[in-house]
């Protein structure tokens, strides 16, 4: 009997099973009612009384040994299939986390700044909350100019000094001229505010890059050449420009600049309303009154200034039809632009 028990134990020790079905077969073979261990128990009846104690113990040991063995086999198999299910493949390339894209206005702002930086301009920035002096008075706006009306400008306080949201970044030019003697060569990027009803074509805030160059003997021809260079670097070497007489309080003479429509190539389309030209900026020679109010001698120095809306340039480059898309933060729109990675 003892011999039988030992043989069975050795046999069980050696078994292997690679599928759950095979483990189940082993369980039936050893542990079921008709299994080998039960058969031993049936034989137990015939064991002489004096051996019953020892044999009984051995059979019990064998039973728990076989049960453990079968449980271990089961666990090993299910651990294996877990690993398969989670399919951890350590050789695979790591998943790239999606990163944001740069905002189209930032892309275009950087493009504009870089073109002027190549021509020797540096960046100047100033506050969005301004006073009347820097936005209007220093820039030769007459006291009754419409921009000084609440209809056009957001005023924060009206007394004792007018505090307002800047309507253009020309205020930064004033701040630089007050502190610096020429030569001055700067571009002023930033957000500006105007009291307009929000629609596809107008917003209560937008972004500008304005430029200023002051030195001895600066002429309108210098301005024209710098703007032509800008237009061709921004919109392609075939781009033409034209300057139309205009008026700004702070420049004299003043002009508005059109570029040949980059959508139809100047032939005439819906975007340029059939004219072949689209307006992109205002410019002119700095009015001597402005130089004087900022402490620069207009008898010695002259200069030019220009200013453009970044939204307008972006519309021309990327054909964004509705201005509101720039500030709605719809990721489907933003994701169309170059990744920031
Ligand atoms: N400041 C003007 C505007 O906001 C633009 C401009 C700047 C025009 C410099 C002429 C010279 O519309």
């Amino acid at each position: 009997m003892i011999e039988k028990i030992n043989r069975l134990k050795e046999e069980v020790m050696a078994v292997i099973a690679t599928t759950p079905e095979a483990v189940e077969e082993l369980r039936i073979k050893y542990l079921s009612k008709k299994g080998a261990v039960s058969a031993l128990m049936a034989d137990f009846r015939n064991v002489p009384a004096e051996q019953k104690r020892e044999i009984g113990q051995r059979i019990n040991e064998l039973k728990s040994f076989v049960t453990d063995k079968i449980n271990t086999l089961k666990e090993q198999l299910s651990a294996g299939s877990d690993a398969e299910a989670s399919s951890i493949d350590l050789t695979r390339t790591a998943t790239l986390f999606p990163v944001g894209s740069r905002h189209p206005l930032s892309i275009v702002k950087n493009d504009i700044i870089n073109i002027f930086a190549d021509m020797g301009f540096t960046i100047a920035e100033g506050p969005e909350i301004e006073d009347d002096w820097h936005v209007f008075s220093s820039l030769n706006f007459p006291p009754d100019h419409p921009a000084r009306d609440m209809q056009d400008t957001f005023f924060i306080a009206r007394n004792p000094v007018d505090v307002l949201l800047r309507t253009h970044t020309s205020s930064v030019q004033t701040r630089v001229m007050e502190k610096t003697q020429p030569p001055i060569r700067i571009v002023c990027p930033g957000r500006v505010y105007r009291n307009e009803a929000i629609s596809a074509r107008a917003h209560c805030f937008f972004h500008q890059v304005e430029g200023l160059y002051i030195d001895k003997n600066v002429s309108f021809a210098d301005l024209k050449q710098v703007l032509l260079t800008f237009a061709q670097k921004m919109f392609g070497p075939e781009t033409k420009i034209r300057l139309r007489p205009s008026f700004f309080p702070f420049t004299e003479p003043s002009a508005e600049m059109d570029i040949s429509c980059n959508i139809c190539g100047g032939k005439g389309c819906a975007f340029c309303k059939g004219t072949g030209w689209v307006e992109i900026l205002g410019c002119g020679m700095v009015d001597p009154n402005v130089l004087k109010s900022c402490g620069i001698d207009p008898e010695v120095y002259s200069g030019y200034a220009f200013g453009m809306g970044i939204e307008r340039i972006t519309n021309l480059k990327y054909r964004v039809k509705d201005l509101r898309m720039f500030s709605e933060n719809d990721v489907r729109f933003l994701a169309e632009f170059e990744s920031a990675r």
Side-chain angles (χ1 to χ4, degrees), residues 167-168 170 173 194 208 210-211 248 250-251 282-284 305-307:
T167 59
H168 53 183
S170 304
Q173 308 184 358
R194 291 184 196 175
Q208 284 189 323
E210 295 212 352
F248 300 102
F250 34 90
T251 45
C283 61
F306 55 86

Side-chain angles (χ1 to χ4, degrees), residues 182-246:
I184 294 170
R185 187 151 40 181
I186 51 167
V187 277
C188 312
R191 180 175 287 183
V192 301
Y193 300 83
R194 291 184 196 175
N195 193 353
E196 306 234 17
I198 297 170
S199 71
R201 300 172 59 88
H203 213 293
C204 60
F205 62 75
F206 62 99
H207 301 79
Q208 284 189 323
V209 177
E210 295 212 352
L212 175 73
Y213 178 41
I214 301 175
D215 205 344
K216 289 176 181 152
N217 303 317
V218 177
S219 74
F220 202 94
D222 298 327
L223 170 62
K224 198 177 165 189
Q225 188 57 41
V226 160
L227 294 179
L228 176 65
T229 304
F230 165 72
Q232 294 188 336
K233 284 201 180 167
M234 192 75 205
F235 296 106
E238 68 291 344
T239 308
K240 294 191 192 65
I241 63 165
R242 78 175 180 189
L243 290 157
R244 287 179 287 103
S246 185

Side-chain angles (χ1 to χ4, degrees), residues 8 18 20 66 79 108 129-130 133 136 157 171 196 202 325:
L8 209 57
T18 51
V66 179
V108 172
I129 299 174
E130 268 289 8
W133 169 255
F136 299 132
S171 52
E196 306 234 17
M325 296 180 91

Side-chain angles (χ1 to χ4, degrees), residues 317-335:
K317 280 217 86 143
Y318 294 110
R319 291 167 220 186
V320 179
K321 291 216 175 69
D322 190 325
L323 265 185
R324 290 169 289 196
M325 296 180 91
F326 289 128
S327 47
E328 277 170 353
N329 290 337
D330 185 333
V331 286
R332 291 167 302 181
F333 169 68
L334 297 174

